[in-house]
């Protein structure tokens, strides 16, 4: 394989780094010699990840904050620049899913999901962008979902937030192409993580249910490996998961067949 990007000594900022795909990405980048900035709400979990990655204080900055309140993202970026002097790769990974019917879901829940999944990524990206433009290099990764390509039961707000990421980052890609800044949209299907457990219900509480589809799904470690390859090869968009990924292509080429058959699937 042609190695288009070597991550050794690159500064990589990962949001949602305390578990799931984010934690797996931290391990994968650390194994390649990257310097990491780890962000999530739970500070002790970030230190746990840092320890498992065997990173020194010099090579890893712990930067805890809540994505529901990303208005201070420029302050966070300044801390990273003070510590490392640069940001080479930004991975907008943190997010929250949903398991509730639209008719039951309080509008506050829709707003929170948009805030965490969409507006935080926009705010963080806009704070990082001036530095990447100045250095005329950088790679921004947005972890979307196959739900960013089509809607599904119980996920109206989640799917909307992921669709929004595509509109934003596809537009940004065109604008920064001349500045040597790359954009990769990652669309995982079912991955073995706690996404269904941590999903919000109609009232905004936790779903607290691990779905069978996620238990039997691709390990987060394997997903992370594929994400690194996608970044390395400067993929515009990548789909990662099991047979559910085929639904993206079926919808694109056979939309009527897709809608007729997706109605037969059970909400979960």
């Amino acid at each position: 394989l042609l190695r288009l990007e070597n991550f050794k000594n690159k500064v990589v900022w990962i949001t949602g780094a305390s578990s799931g795909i984010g934690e797996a990405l931290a391990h994968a980048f650390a194994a390649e010699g990257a310097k990491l900035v780890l962000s999530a709400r739970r500070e002790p979990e970030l230190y746990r990840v840092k320890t498992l990655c065997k990173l020194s204080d010099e090579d890893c900055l712990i930067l805890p904050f809540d994505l529901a309140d990303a208005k201070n993202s420029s302050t966070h970026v300044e801390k990273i620049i003070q510590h490392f002097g640069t940001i080479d790769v930004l991975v907008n990974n943190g997010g929250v899913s949903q398991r509730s019917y639209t008719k039951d879901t309080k509008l506050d829940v829709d707003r929170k999901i948009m805030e965490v999944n969409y507006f935080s990524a926009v705010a963080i990206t806009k704070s990082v962008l001036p530095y990447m433009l100045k250095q005329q290099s950088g790679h921004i990764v947005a972890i979307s979902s196959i739900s960013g390509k089509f809607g599904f039961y119980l996920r109206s707000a989640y799917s909307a937030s992921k669709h929004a990421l595509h509109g934003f980052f596809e537009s940004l890609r065109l604008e920064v192409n001349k500045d040597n800044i790359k954009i990769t949209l990652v669309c995982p299907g079912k991955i073995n993580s706690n996404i269904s457990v941590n999903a919000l219900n109609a009232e905004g509480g936790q779903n607290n249910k691990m779905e069978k589809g996620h238990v039997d799904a691709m390990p987060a470690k394997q997903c992370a490996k594929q994400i690194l390859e996608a970044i390395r090869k400067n993929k515009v968009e990548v789909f990662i998961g099991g047979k559910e990924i085929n639904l993206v292509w079926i919808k694109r080429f056979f939309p009527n067949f897709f809608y007729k058959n997706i109605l037969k699937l059970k909400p979960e």
Side-chain angles (χ1 to χ4, degrees):
L1 283 174
L2 180 65
R3 299 297 186 199
L4 299 181
E5 190 151 4
N6 176 8
F7 300 114
K8 189 168 175 58
N9 293 323
K10 291 285 175 77
V11 177
V12 181
W13 185 11
I14 306 167
T15 65
S18 61
S19 64
I21 294 172
E23 178 178 352
L25 282 168
H27 287 279
F29 277 115
E32 297 217 4
K35 299 173 189 289
L36 298 186
V37 182
L38 304 178
S39 292
R41 283 176 303 172
R42 299 173 297 164
E43 192 170 355
E45 289 300 300
L46 293 175
Y47 277 102
R48 177 187 63 80
V49 173
K50 177 191 169 188
T51 303
L52 289 173
C53 288
K54 299 186 171 122
L55 291 168
S56 66
D57 289 345
E58 192 183 332
D59 291 339
C60 183
L61 177 64
I62 300 296
L63 200 59
F65 67 96
D66 189 344
L67 287 175
D69 183 20
K71 63 178 180 288
N72 294 324
S73 52
S74 57
T75 311
H76 302 317
V77 172
E78 281 164 23
K79 284 180 187 170
I80 298 168
I81 298 300
Q82 279 171 12
H83 190 91
F84 288 120
T86 186
I87 299 170
D88 298 302
V89 182
L90 166 64
V91 185
N92 289 300
N93 166 72
V96 64
S97 194
Q98 171 196 18
R99 293 298 182 272
S100 59
Y101 283 104
T102 307
K103 65 182 176 62
D104 303 325
T105 306
K106 290 187 171 178
L107 188 59
D108 284 352
V109 177
D110 292 79
R111 290 188 186 281
K112 181 173 183 179
I113 290 170
M114 285 300 292
E115 199 65 53
V116 172
N117 293 357
Y118 174 70
F119 283 110
S120 73
V122 170
I124 291 165
T125 297
K126 286 190 173 194
S127 297
V128 167
L129 211 49
Y131 295 95
M132 289 188 171
L133 287 167
K134 191 177 175 185
Q135 68 199 24
Q136 285 288 288
S137 68
H139 205 128
I140 300 170
V141 182
I143 307 296
S144 176
S145 164
I146 58 169
S147 293
K149 290 296 185 178
F150 58 85
F152 196 64
Y153 302 95
L154 310 176
R155 291 161 176 77
S156 55
Y158 176 71
S159 184
S161 70
K162 296 301 187 179
H163 274 70
L165 286 177
H166 286 260
F168 178 83
F169 283 103
E170 285 174 8
S171 301
L172 179 62
R173 182 189 290 123
L174 302 177
E175 295 173 4
V176 298
N177 180 62
K178 65 184 186 301
D179 300 295
N180 194 34
I181 297 170
K182 313 300 182 190
I183 310 279
T184 297
L185 277 154
V186 178
C187 301
K190 290 184 177 176
I191 305 296
N192 189 323
S193 74
N194 283 333
I195 190 167
S196 62
V197 178
N198 297 328
L200 300 185
N201 61 26
E203 301 291 320
Q206 268 200 354
N207 181 43
N208 285 327
K209 184 187 167 194
M210 183 67 162
E211 291 165 1
K212 188 178 183 303
H214 289 282
V215 176
D216 304 331
M218 176 187 285
K221 184 179 179 180
Q222 193 179 334
C223 175
K225 188 181 173 187
Q226 290 190 31
I227 292 170
L228 260 69
E229 284 306 302
I231 300 168
R232 229 192 284 278
K233 294 175 183 174
N234 187 24
K235 288 273 184 81
V236 167
E237 194 171 66
V238 62
F239 301 98
I240 301 170
K243 62 181 186 298
E244 70 279 359
I245 295 301
N246 295 329
L247 291 169
V248 176
W249 310 112
I250 293 168
K251 187 194 174 207
R252 181 177 295 177
F253 297 110
F254 309 102
N256 292 336
F257 176 80
F258 169 84
Y259 284 113
K260 198 186 293 182
N261 283 276
I262 205 163
L263 283 166
K264 296 173 187 173
L265 297 178
K266 282 184 188 170
E268 74 152 11

